[in-house]
């Protein structure tokens, strides 16, 4: 039997889904495939709690999609006259759900349930990797590195299990404090990286400092007061990942060196002449 153009398209969508290594990009590939396949005006994935009948029009179609064990999201297909090819759509949904489950497990940090180092590398490769034109929105991103203060002492005094518990509680607090579009990574032992999407530096500083205050105000079981230090910098994709991390790291070290429990912003430290810009890499030494 001859393969039709439609078969080729279907095959391309499925291959595209299986190539994704990250939930964020899987969602992008999936919604794009559904959009093309149904010639819909727009396709998006939503948390069921955020999708009420008020923000739907009569031409919209909403489908349930399985996102890993027990989790269900809503797929909103806008302005679509009829779901013409339901078999292909069903197939796409199935492949998406399987891929989601697989990726979700492999990019999640087992202790904190935040994104792990693999997810970090993958997303940063996409963000900083070679691209002809960086879009304007790529310059409205900030990176914060957060580190628990005197964590070794917490471990030494109360034991590693309590140390682990602090990391879990901090991760839970991060999930509540930051928006769904921000990316939360456990970067190393007691170090976290947050990529604040669509946020200028002033907003990012405010949000990270609000989180710092929430942490210092909390009474942690057994341990009591825990504080964090942070370093923040704006993301310019053209600067490269190594320089960006180095900038956030320098700001973090300044926070640690000058008393901890504070958020420092790289650009402010440069402007104040506290640190020297030449300390950061010029972009030549790149991982990607
Ligand atoms: N409980 C627990 N401890 C960890 C984990 N990963 C790393 N650590 C510990 O975190 C501690 C980090 O200590 P340091 O890097 O010396 O820093 P610190 O004591 O937090 O001091 P400052 O960062 O200077 O405030 C080390 O003792 C590590 O063993 C983990 O997953 N669980």
């Amino acid at each position: 039997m001859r393969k039709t153009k439609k078969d080729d398209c279907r095959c391309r969508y499925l291959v595209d889904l299986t190539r994704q290594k990250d939930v964020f990009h899987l969602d992008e590939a999936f919604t794009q495939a559904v959009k093309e396949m149904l010639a819909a005006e727009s396709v998006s994935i939503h948390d069921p709690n955020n999708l009420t009948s008020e923000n739907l029009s009569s031409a919209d179609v909403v489908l349930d999609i399985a996102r890993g064990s027990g989790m269900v999201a809503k797929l909103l297909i806008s302005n679509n006259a009829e779901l013409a090819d339901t078999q292909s759509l069903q197939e796409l949904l199935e492949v998406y759900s399987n891929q989601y489950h697989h990726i979700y497990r492999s990019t999640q940090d087992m202790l904190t349930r935040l994104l792990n180092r693999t997810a970090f590398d993958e997303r940063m490769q996409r963000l900083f990797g070679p691209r002809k034109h960086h879009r304007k929105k790529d310059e409205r991103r900030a990176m914060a590195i957060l580190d628990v203060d005197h964590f070794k002492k917490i471990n030494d005094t109360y034991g590693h299990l309590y140390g682990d518990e602090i990391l879990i509680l901090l991760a839970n607090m991060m999930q509540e404090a930051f928006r769904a579009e921000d990316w939360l990574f456990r970067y190393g032992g007691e170090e976290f990286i947050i990529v604040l999407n669509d946020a200028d530096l002033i907003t990012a500083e405010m949000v990270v400092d609000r989180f710092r205050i929430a942490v210092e105000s909390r009474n942690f079981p057994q341990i009591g007061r825990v504080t964090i230090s942070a370093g923040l910098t704006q993301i310019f994709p053209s600067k490269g990942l190594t320089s960006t991390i180095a900038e956030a790291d320098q700001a973090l070290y300044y926070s640690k060196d000058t008393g901890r429990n504070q958020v420092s912003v790289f650009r402010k430290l440069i402007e104040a002449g506290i640190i020297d810009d030449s300390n950061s890499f010029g972009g030549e030494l790149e991982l990607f």
Side-chain angles (χ1 to χ4, degrees), residues 111 147-156 159-165 167 186 188-190 229 256 260:
L111 182 72
D147 189 283
V148 186
D149 294 330
H150 300 302
F151 195 55
K152 185 172 180 321
K153 202 166 151 205
I154 294 176
N155 273 330
D156 291 348
H160 266 252
L161 274 183
Y162 275 99
D164 284 356
E165 182 65 15
L167 298 178
R186 183 174 180 210
E190 24 79 81
S229 296
K256 291 275 183 187
R260 297 180 173 81

Side-chain angles (χ1 to χ4, degrees), residues 206-223:
M206 192 190 76
V207 172
V208 176
D209 201 48
R210 201 167 55 198
F211 179 68
R212 177 195 65 76
I213 293 168
V215 173
E216 79 166 343
S217 314
R218 181 167 182 165
N219 189 13
F220 286 85
Q222 196 75 23
I223 293 159

Side-chain angles (χ1 to χ4, degrees), residues 14-209:
L14 296 180
V15 169
D16 220 28
L17 289 192
T18 53
R19 275 205 188 123
Q20 305 305 321
K21 295 196 182 89
D22 174 286
V23 168
F24 178 77
H25 294 98
L26 177 72
D27 282 358
E28 266 190 358
F30 174 61
T31 49
Q32 186 57 29
V34 176
K35 188 174 170 210
E36 280 179 29
M37 203 168 80
L38 302 178
E41 194 173 88
S42 76
V43 176
S44 47
I45 295 174
H46 297 263
D47 184 312
N49 303 324
N50 296 338
L51 201 64
T52 60
S53 51
E54 288 142 38
N55 38 39
L56 295 176
S57 90
S58 56
D60 293 341
V61 174
V62 180
L63 299 175
D64 281 349
I65 49 172
R67 309 248 288 178
S69 50
M71 276 167 42
V72 172
K74 299 277 182 195
L75 184 71
L76 171 60
I77 305 168
S78 288
N79 209 9
N80 183 62
E82 55 178 308
L83 294 179
D85 192 349
T86 44
Q87 201 193 330
S88 293
L89 181 62
Q90 200 53 44
E91 200 176 47
L92 209 60
L93 277 164
E94 237 178 87
V95 174
Y96 168 82
S97 295
N98 289 338
Q99 285 299 112
Y100 183 92
H101 198 68
H102 172 69
I103 294 173
Y104 191 67
R105 270 184 313 195
S106 64
T107 58
Q108 210 186 27
D109 173 58
M110 293 319 287
L111 182 72
T112 61
R113 304 284 168 198
L114 298 182
L115 293 165
N116 64 14
R117 192 61 185 263
T118 308
F120 179 80
D121 291 344
E122 175 68 24
R123 290 194 187 190
M124 293 308 112
Q125 188 167 10
R126 305 242 186 175
L127 198 58
F128 289 93
R131 206 190 293 162
K132 276 202 185 111
H133 303 289
H134 286 292
R135 288 161 295 178
K136 200 79 204 129
K137 76 168 193 184
D138 288 336
E139 308 233 319
R140 277 180 54 83
R141 283 197 168 102
M143 177 186 282
I145 305 187
L146 268 59
D147 189 283
V148 186
D149 294 330
H150 300 302
F151 195 55
K152 185 172 180 321
K153 202 166 151 205
I154 294 176
N155 273 330
D156 291 348
T157 314
Y158 302 96
H160 266 252
L161 274 183
Y162 275 99
D164 284 356
E165 182 65 15
I166 294 292
L167 298 178
I168 294 168
L169 292 173
L170 286 174
N172 292 348
M173 288 177 78
M174 284 165 73
Q175 301 269 25
E176 280 170 27
F178 294 93
R179 299 165 308 165
E181 51 270 46
D182 297 329
W183 301 338
L184 310 175
F185 303 96
R186 183 174 180 210
Y187 186 59
E190 24 79 81
E191 221 172 50
F192 301 95
I193 286 191
I194 302 169
V195 172
L196 297 115
N197 288 307
D198 200 16
D200 57 35
L201 206 50
I202 295 171
T203 311
E205 183 184 10
M206 192 190 76
V207 172
V208 176
D209 201 48

Side-chain angles (χ1 to χ4, degrees), residues 4-18:
T4 63
K5 201 170 167 206
K6 202 168 147 199
D7 285 335
D8 283 343
C9 263
R10 196 182 119 266
C11 202
R12 178 168 62 78
Y13 297 145
L14 296 180
V15 169
D16 220 28
L17 289 192
T18 53

